[in-house]
Amino acid sequence: MSTQSITINGMSCSACQKVVEKRLSKIDGITGVTVDVEAGTAAITAIREIQLAEISQTLEGTHYTIVS
């Protein structure tokens, strides 16, 4: 298992946190997601490396964007 941290723009409240956590948790291989709204980050624990493109695709249709 590995943990990676990503920066996400557009989050401002606990509802944002829940949406991002729910969406990212649906990615195959992810076993845990912890979102810090104030820092604008998400820590992802997974059994494989998750590509930023896959995360961006999962967040399509929302106003959240990945900072590369």
Side-chain angles (χ1 to χ4, degrees), residues 11-33:
M11 297 187 299
S12 61
C13 63
S14 61
C16 297
Q17 175 184 355
K18 289 178 183 178
V19 169
V20 171
E21 287 177 346
K22 185 175 181 178
R23 291 238 180 169
L24 296 183
S25 293
K26 291 182 179 181
I27 296 175
D28 184 45
I30 289 182
T31 58
V33 178

Side-chain angles (χ1 to χ4, degrees), residues 22-67:
K22 185 175 181 178
R23 291 238 180 169
L24 296 183
S25 293
K26 291 182 179 181
I27 296 175
D28 184 45
I30 289 182
T31 58
V33 178
T34 303
V35 173
D36 183 336
V37 173
E38 289 185 21
T41 61
I44 299 170
T45 305
I47 57 174
R48 64 179 179 87
E49 184 177 344
I50 308 299
Q51 301 297 320
L52 289 180
E54 189 173 3
I55 295 168
S56 291
Q57 182 179 11
T58 301
L59 294 176
E60 280 183 9
T62 69
H63 62 274
Y64 312 116
T65 56
I66 303 300
V67 178

